[in-house]
Amino acid sequence: MKLQPSIWLRTAYARMWVRTKSIYGEPLWVVVTIGFPLFTSLAMALLYRSTGLNSAVGFAVLGGVMISFWGNVLWSMASQFQWDKQQGLFEIYISSPAPITAILVGMSLGGIIGTAPSAALVAFAGWVFFAPPINPFWPGVIVVFGLTLAALYALGMTLASLYLVYGREAEALNEAIHEPVSLLSGVYFPSIGGFSPFPFALQVVASLIPLTIGMDALRRTLFALPGLPPAGFDAIYLHVIALSVMAGSLLVLAQKALKALEERGRRTGTIAVRQR
Amino acid sequence: MSNVRSILASIWIGWYRDFSWTNPLLGLSLRTIPPIASVMAASIVYWWGSFHAGVFDPNRLAYIMIGALLYAHIAAYSMIPNLAIAEGKWTFVFTQVYMSPKSASPYLAGRTLGSFLSSAVTLFLALIAVYLLLPPLFGTSIPLVVTPLSFALFGLALVVNILASMGIGFLLGAYAIFATKFEWALPTYISGLLMIFSEALFPVTFLPGPLSQIANVLPFTEFIRAARAAMIYNDVSSYFYFLGLSAIGGLILLFAGLLAFRRAENRARRLGLLDRKVA
């Protein structure tokens, strides 16, 4: 008997390959994607340094690394189906036997692989320019980083499903939510817990965003925060549970939303209508 | 006269492109959210650092608030010529423009002015919002000078800065005519560079030697200094000094931008490259 990977795996691999190839096949793409995270991270690091608190410069560098992935989730995951629809690619997806969830997962994996060089360059530049003091607990960093990406890209899949019903609104929505989510998630400063400037109610809202939990856990595992115990799994186990639950539930939600919208689109005949 | 008509028509096209997809009020509100969030993020970073370093100063908070608002405002409309060309190639709007007997300059100037007006409205809305939101967050007042005169001077500074922003817009436009890949990323570079080099968040003296000297003479730096002189320090003589420097720098940049764009446009017409989308 000849073993063959399922169509789901083959589809996910194919979509991942296309995305990876489109990024690594054009090295200039790194230059395109690195601009925003690099400059914002440098500016925030200089702002921290201007206050005299050099120990917090690492927050800005970490923020730059994670904002690269958030940007990718928003612009290359959430909006992707909408762009595919404009170009007529989405019609091919739905008329082929390829499972849409496999396409989304492949797109996510390709996005992570493709964003990694930009994120690494931001980290490298931050290290070269500022040499921020770190006190890492590497096993925790690896676990939290992986789970944060899983939850973030699952959120991207959910948004991709929802954006299917929108036209130009999707672009405007992306532009409108990019900065506020970065603010609430505390990309450059702690937005939840004792160090947060936000009132409790706002911290609760912020905690619903996977990036918030991930950023908080990454700061705890990478930096020595005053008044907190040294980083270990004790300090982040709640974060790990929360991120795992978020990743799982967002994946299920994405699948259900996609199915519902696909059925609605087929019924009303609007699934492949290009609105602009 | 016909140039004025072209510019007015282009302002309308820009607004139509930006707001026709929804209720204009909703469109404007959505555009106000990012600058509010961006200013709040920079302010919180300053608060967090200075509070833990024990050097918190409300004046510095106001300094960052004005700077962060203004760099976002400049970035929002100076990139428009680049965007109008890059997007216009795909939507065939730019093709229609260059087929007309005139240069595309009035079209791009009109698009920039349209975006300036929208951005100025969102800037004032964001200024009011952060002025109300930040004090309860940090438990301090923000020492802004809120008088009709300070707002009038602030508004005048915004108008004078159009020269420099339009100048850099035309320079980017000259590049966008020939570019087929990197032009989409240029706005983020402009915004990022302004964040660091226009004294938006920290004095330029924090930058290494030569970079500090370059940043010190940029018209955008002088513009932000003038706005601060009006809104924070209530220093009218410094205001006019910085505004004068900003106007001189802006005129030089506008002249360079128009010259570069005219040459690029003529060359692209000659070589048949004006609607090239793919390398």
Side-chain angles (χ1 to χ4, degrees):
Chain A
M1 192 179 78
K2 193 178 172 187
L3 279 176
Q4 279 202 331
S6 70
I7 189 166
W8 196 97
L9 284 176
R10 277 187 291 161
T11 304
Y13 175 75
R15 189 63 186 88
M16 182 186 81
W17 178 244
V18 169
R19 173 145 288 188
T20 310
K21 182 80 180 162
S22 70
I23 294 167
Y24 286 88
E26 174 55 273
L28 197 63
W29 189 247
V30 174
V31 182
V32 171
T33 53
I34 200 176
F36 180 78
L38 179 68
F39 288 121
T40 316
S41 159
L42 291 180
M44 292 301 183
L46 283 165
L47 183 54
Y48 269 124
R49 186 170 269 189
S50 75
T51 65
L53 195 72
N54 218 25
S55 59
V57 163
F59 291 2
V61 178
L62 175 65
V65 170
M66 295 310 286
I67 207 81
S68 311
F69 289 103
W70 169 235
N72 185 256
V73 164
L74 212 49
W75 291 103
S76 299
M77 281 295 299
S79 320
Q80 188 62 45
F81 275 167
Q82 207 263 326
W83 285 334
D84 287 345
K85 203 158 83 168
Q86 302 295 335
Q87 293 169 356
L89 204 58
F90 193 70
E91 290 159 66
I92 299 172
Y93 288 161
I94 55 170
S95 54
S96 79
I100 295 277
T101 47
I103 291 173
L104 280 170
V105 170
M107 215 152 73
S108 302
L109 293 174
I112 292 171
I113 296 169
T115 310
S118 308
L121 277 173
V122 172
F124 180 72
W127 178 65
V128 168
F129 290 138
F130 301 107
I134 57 170
N135 181 28
F137 169 57
W138 287 116
V141 173
I142 293 164
V143 169
V144 168
F145 183 69
L147 280 172
T148 305
L149 290 190
L152 258 187
Y153 278 84
L155 175 68
M157 289 182 213
T158 311
L159 290 175
S161 320
L162 297 177
Y163 278 23
L164 254 184
V165 288
Y166 294 113
R168 179 174 279 182
E169 298 95 315
E171 219 171 287
L173 275 175
N174 266 357
E175 277 168 11
I177 67 173
H178 186 273
E179 287 285 341
V181 169
S182 307
L183 170 74
L184 283 178
S185 306
V187 169
Y188 297 108
F189 57 86
S191 69
I192 52 172
F195 295 115
S196 168
F198 294 144
F200 181 71
L202 199 56
Q203 291 189 37
V204 172
V205 174
S207 303
L208 299 174
I209 306 167
L211 191 56
T212 312
I213 308 290
M215 288 303 303
D216 193 55
L218 283 170
R219 267 190 294 267
R220 283 169 190 255
T221 48
L222 272 170
F223 308 111
L225 294 174
L228 284 182
F233 274 114
D234 288 355
I236 54 160
Y237 77 97
L238 282 175
H239 298 74
V240 169
I241 294 170
L243 285 170
S244 308
V245 170
M246 280 177 171
S249 49
L250 282 168
L251 270 176
V252 173
L253 186 66
Q255 198 179 9
K256 290 206 181 299
L258 197 62
K259 203 169 170 56
L261 290 170
E262 192 183 333
E263 274 172 18
R264 185 181 147 213
R266 283 180 195 276
R267 209 171 47 244
T268 55
T270 56
I271 194 158
V273 173
R274 297 169 205 179
Q275 298 159 321
R276 201 67 193 163
Chain B
M1 186 63 196
S2 66
N3 269 350
V4 174
R5 278 175 58 196
S6 303
I7 288 173
L8 290 175
S10 306
I11 291 175
W12 184 252
I13 289 174
W15 285 343
Y16 189 80
R17 183 250 178 234
D18 288 345
F19 300 113
S20 66
W21 62 273
T22 183
N23 175 334
L25 200 62
L26 175 67
L28 210 58
S29 308
L30 285 176
R31 281 167 172 259
T32 311
I33 295 170
I36 294 174
S38 169
V39 174
M40 287 188 70
S43 304
I44 292 173
V45 165
Y46 167 70
W47 172 81
W48 210 93
S50 60
F51 182 78
H52 288 91
V55 293
F56 179 74
D57 174 9
N59 276 306
R60 184 76 203 286
L61 184 63
Y63 174 102
I64 289 165
M65 196 179 113
I66 295 292
L69 270 171
L70 291 179
Y71 97 79
H73 165 72
I74 301 166
Y77 77 98
S78 62
M79 65 180 183
I80 290 298
N82 169 65
L83 201 69
I85 294 171
E87 190 187 66
K89 284 183 188 175
W90 287 99
T91 55
F92 301 102
V93 172
F94 195 62
T95 317
Q96 304 298 322
V97 172
Y98 84 73
M99 272 164 57
S100 68
K102 287 190 166 184
S103 159
S105 308
Y107 169 69
L108 297 178
R111 289 288 305 268
T112 307
L113 287 175
S115 183
F116 163 78
L117 292 170
S118 322
S119 178
V121 173
T122 58
L123 168 75
F124 277 103
L125 292 175
L127 177 62
I128 293 166
V130 290
Y131 186 64
L132 296 174
L133 287 171
L134 289 182
L137 207 59
F138 302 140
T140 181
S141 59
I142 298 176
L144 283 191
V145 181
V146 185
T147 62
L149 176 67
S150 67
F151 271 92
L153 294 176
F154 186 67
L156 177 64
L158 294 183
V159 172
V160 168
N161 183 59
I162 293 175
L163 298 171
S165 294
M166 204 177 269
I168 203 145
F170 276 115
L171 282 174
L172 296 177
Y175 169 77
I177 287 180
F178 299 102
T180 53
K181 290 172 188 166
F182 188 54
E183 75 275 24
W184 295 105
L186 278 178
T188 61
Y189 274 77
I190 296 302
S191 160
L193 288 169
L194 281 171
M195 209 174 180
I196 296 173
F197 293 103
S198 67
E199 209 169 73
L201 303 179
F202 43 82
V204 291
T205 48
F206 270 89
L207 298 169
L211 292 177
S212 163
Q213 282 156 15
I214 294 168
N216 196 37
V217 296
L218 287 178
F220 305 110
T221 309
E222 306 298 353
F223 155 62
I224 292 178
R225 284 174 180 164
R228 285 192 183 116
M231 294 299 291
I232 304 173
Y233 309 122
N234 203 14
D235 182 349
V236 178
S237 59
S238 296
Y239 168 83
F240 281 109
Y241 172 73
F242 291 132
L243 198 66
L245 290 178
S246 171
I248 293 168
L251 280 171
I252 294 169
L253 207 53
L254 182 60
F255 180 73
L258 282 170
L259 195 69
F261 185 77
R262 180 59 63 92
R263 287 196 172 186
E265 192 187 18
N266 287 342
R267 183 176 156 79
R269 276 182 198 275
R270 207 170 53 245
L271 301 176
L273 296 174
L274 266 171
D275 61 347
R276 187 177 66 162
K277 295 178 201 149
V278 185

